[in-house]
Amino acid sequence: MATRKRQSPPSDIARRRAERRLASGRKSDQRWREVLEGAGRVFQRLGYAQTTLEDIAAEVGINRATLYYYVGTKEELLVSLLHQPIEQMRVELEAIAAEDKPAPQKLADGLRAYVVAMSQRPELFIFVRENIDQVVSGEEANDIKQNADRWGRLLSQILQEGAKSGDFRDDIDTTVAVLGIVGMFNWSYRWYDPAGPRSLVEIGEIFIDMALSTLAPRR
């Protein structure tokens, strides 16, 4: 006789999300967005490890007790900030990888979507700056990691297609190539200045050209 698998209790993050959905209203939703945006600013300014919930409450202009209604830990805030944009990036790259286009165009489109996402969602810089495996845990955090891993595998798939078709060099390990290409974009969080002469998207176009030039077959 088969036994029924006992379901594990929901995580605190999942429970609080459910509570917010039940209590959803214009005022509550607006405050939650303010909390997330405030957390993103403080994480970027102070770094995740140095940030406290008191810092975030002060940034939003509420007291600690009010903040606790929306969130229990800063880990929950980080997960909430990153989950949707990283999932969206994975979905976009899946669509690009499935298109009937040459591999160089797919690579350019995929990297362009990535840099546009980073320019529009600066909280993604938190993801590339932090060792996500060490700062978050649980089902929701695993979703973030799985989406990010899937994104990397899709990019590797595009490079493999290009090597097979002759559009890219076939003597470069695709895993190393993906790490090198993505590293160019991710490392920009260390030096990129929004007030500088070039936007992040413009810098991304330079990186895309560099990646395509490096991968082009030797003549």
Side-chain angles (χ1 to χ4, degrees):
M1 180 177 178
T3 58
R4 179 177 297 179
K5 184 178 180 181
R6 186 176 62 181
Q7 293 184 340
S8 59
S11 67
D12 286 342
I13 295 177
R15 177 179 57 78
R16 288 180 184 278
R17 280 182 176 173
E19 289 173 353
R20 281 197 299 272
R21 283 195 296 268
L22 290 174
S24 181
R26 181 173 298 178
K27 183 176 181 180
S28 179
D29 290 346
Q30 176 62 30
R31 176 53 58 84
W32 175 236
R33 287 193 294 271
E34 291 172 357
V35 169
L36 283 180
E37 291 169 1
R41 291 192 299 270
V42 178
F43 286 154
Q44 291 183 71
R45 187 169 66 244
L46 302 181
Y48 178 79
Q50 286 72 38
T51 297
T52 66
L53 287 177
E54 285 73 18
D55 294 326
I56 296 168
E59 180 77 14
V60 180
I62 58 179
N63 59 41
R64 179 66 179 82
T66 302
L67 180 62
Y68 190 75
Y69 171 78
Y70 294 93
V71 63
T73 66
K74 65 177 182 178
E75 177 182 326
E76 180 183 346
L77 281 170
L78 185 61
V79 168
S80 297
L81 277 168
L82 296 178
H83 187 274
Q84 191 277 331
I86 292 179
E87 181 179 48
Q88 182 62 32
M89 283 170 46
R90 186 264 303 165
V91 170
E92 289 179 356
L93 191 56
E94 281 182 338
I96 291 170
E99 291 176 340
D100 185 17
K101 291 182 178 180
Q105 186 62 55
K106 290 183 181 182
L107 179 61
D109 290 348
L111 294 176
R112 190 169 291 119
Y114 182 51
V115 74
V116 168
M118 296 189 77
S119 67
Q120 295 176 346
R121 306 293 295 267
E123 60 267 28
L124 289 171
F125 278 112
I126 304 169
F127 177 77
V128 302
R129 183 173 59 198
E130 302 289 344
N131 188 336
I132 204 70
D133 291 317
Q134 296 182 7
V135 297
V136 296
S137 59
E139 180 181 352
E140 294 83 1
N142 287 337
D143 285 344
I144 293 175
K145 299 168 193 174
Q146 290 169 6
N147 279 312
D149 288 345
R150 172 62 176 160
W151 188 92
R153 290 194 299 271
L154 286 165
L155 206 64
S156 181
Q157 174 186 314
I158 292 172
L159 266 60
Q160 291 169 5
E161 290 178 6
K164 186 176 180 179
S165 66
D167 290 311
F168 292 149
R169 291 171 56 178
D170 60 3
D171 60 335
I172 298 179
D173 184 286
T174 54
T175 300
V176 174
V178 167
L179 292 172
I181 292 169
V182 176
M184 286 195 302
F185 290 87
N186 290 354
W187 196 251
S188 62
Y189 86 86
R190 295 291 298 269
W191 51 263
Y192 172 63
D193 181 4
R198 288 188 175 90
S199 69
L200 194 60
V201 171
E202 290 171 330
I203 293 171
E205 290 298 323
I206 296 173
F207 286 167
I208 291 170
D209 185 58
M210 291 170 61
L212 293 175
S213 298
T214 301
L215 293 170
R218 292 175 174 173
R219 299 188 183 278

